Amino acid sequence: MVENETFHFDFMLVGSSLQAGLIAGLLARVHKKKVCLLSDPSIEFRLAREISLSVDCITRPETWQLLAHLRTESFKLLTGIGGGKSLGRVDPVFVATNSRDAQALAHMFHVARGYGFEIEQEGSGPLMKAKRLLRLRGARNICHQVFRPALRRWLADSNVQIASASSLVLRPIRGGRVTATAPDRTLKADRLILADEEAIRNHAKEQEWARGFIGVTATALVCKPTSTLREKCIINPANRFSACLQDNSGFEIITLSSGNDVATD
């Protein structure tokens, strides 16, 4: 019979996103905390659930100011973990298909340019029957297939204990502490962090996460266009549609629509 071992941590994080991994590693490496990360080991083989781009459809000036301030530091952190090939360079096209989004992009154009971002207006166009197009030059995106394995190695070098979330039963304790149990071990931590939306959805009580989140249907898919497409990254704020080309092998697409409603044009 295997004796059940108990391990103690300062923080236990739950989440499979890049954000969860980065938080866990920084807590361990920079703040010298003892950290355990509970994640889904299949994440590296699933369709992308996030397109990690350095910009987005933003109209708030303070957010553009923060992006401008943190660009160099963020790129240094990411390339330090995954190397130069983990970050790609793209010129995303922001597409407005209705009058409301066209007005938002017009405001975004002036704010982004004011904070030093190279952005161009291209009027309307045939792409998605656009009413307004903006092209932002020199954005960076994380190449998941390169960065994720590197992130796993970085976490191991940071002494972050990684465990499968599905193999442990999580028991939060009043005051922020948590216990996670399996037949052969028990993990205890002084603080529990649900580090991404999926973790919150799976482990928080519905009345708790419903106060800060709205559940929506999203679709992720990989496809190759049937005709030559000049654009390598397309973002449409109407339904949070994002399509980014990955190593010329096809587009990773994420949109807040059901599979039956995803536009084919």
Side-chain angles (χ1 to χ4, degrees):
M1 185 178 213
V2 179
E3 183 179 354
N4 187 293
E5 295 186 83
T6 300
F7 301 90
H8 294 267
F9 299 91
D10 297 312
F11 289 91
M12 181 181 294
L13 286 88
V14 184
S16 303
S17 63
L18 299 181
Q19 171 184 288
L22 289 169
I23 294 172
L26 291 173
L27 281 171
R29 187 177 288 259
V30 177
H31 299 281
K32 310 303 180 185
K33 300 298 183 181
K34 193 173 181 181
V35 179
C36 176
L37 174 64
L38 305 186
S39 64
D40 184 348
S42 70
I43 186 66
E44 293 183 25
F45 310 102
R46 298 190 320 203
L47 290 176
R49 297 191 178 184
E50 55 184 339
I51 291 178
S52 304
L53 197 64
S54 61
V55 294
D56 202 348
C57 296
I58 303 165
T59 56
R60 188 171 182 265
E62 291 82 359
T63 304
W64 283 106
Q65 183 181 29
L66 183 64
L67 286 176
H69 177 70
L70 294 178
R71 271 187 298 179
T72 301
E73 181 180 348
S74 299
F75 296 161
K76 183 179 178 181
L77 171 64
L78 294 171
T79 55
I81 295 172
K85 291 184 178 180
S86 65
L87 282 185
R89 184 180 293 273
V90 294
D91 300 332
V93 173
F94 296 87
V95 182
T97 54
N98 58 57
S99 299
R100 183 190 62 185
D101 288 346
Q103 291 177 355
L105 288 190
H107 181 54
M108 170 183 160
F109 167 77
H110 293 290
V111 177
R113 191 172 62 170
Y115 283 104
F117 291 83
E118 187 179 348
I119 190 168
E120 305 164 359
Q121 293 194 81
E122 299 194 3
S124 59
L127 183 64
M128 301 179 78
K129 301 177 182 178
K131 290 183 176 294
R132 183 182 296 274
L133 295 171
L134 293 184
R135 185 185 305 278
L136 193 145
R137 301 285 183 182
R140 307 300 295 271
N141 67 317
I142 298 177
C143 303
H144 288 202
Q145 62 270 40
V146 176
F147 188 77
R148 278 201 174 277
L151 178 63
R152 188 176 63 249
R153 294 190 295 270
W154 180 72
L155 289 171
D157 291 341
S158 304
N159 295 318
V160 174
Q161 177 73 42
I162 303 176
S164 172
S166 61
S167 65
L168 293 156
V169 178
L170 214 63
R171 293 188 177 89
I173 303 170
R174 187 181 297 275
R177 293 179 293 121
V178 63
T179 297
T181 58
D184 61 335
R185 57 183 166 162
T186 298
L187 310 179
K188 294 185 177 182
D190 297 330
R191 288 291 182 270
L192 170 66
I193 300 176
L194 301 180
D196 55 32
E197 291 92 338
E198 184 176 3
I200 293 171
R201 180 67 178 85
N202 291 339
H203 296 286
K205 295 179 180 179
E206 183 175 355
Q207 62 267 31
E208 294 175 341
W209 66 259
R211 289 201 299 264
F213 294 87
I214 299 173
V216 295
T217 299
T219 298
L221 55 92
V222 177
C223 70
K224 287 189 177 181
T226 55
S227 59
T228 302
L229 189 62
R230 180 170 65 95
E231 309 303 344
K232 308 302 181 186
C233 184
I234 304 166
I235 298 175
N236 171 225
N239 56 359
R240 300 297 297 164
F241 174 93
S242 301
C244 287
L245 186 66
Q246 297 294 326
D247 289 342
N248 297 314
S249 60
F251 278 90
E252 287 185 351
I253 297 175
I254 299 175
T255 180
L256 298 186
S257 304
S258 69
N260 294 329
D261 296 330
V262 176
T264 58
D265 58 351

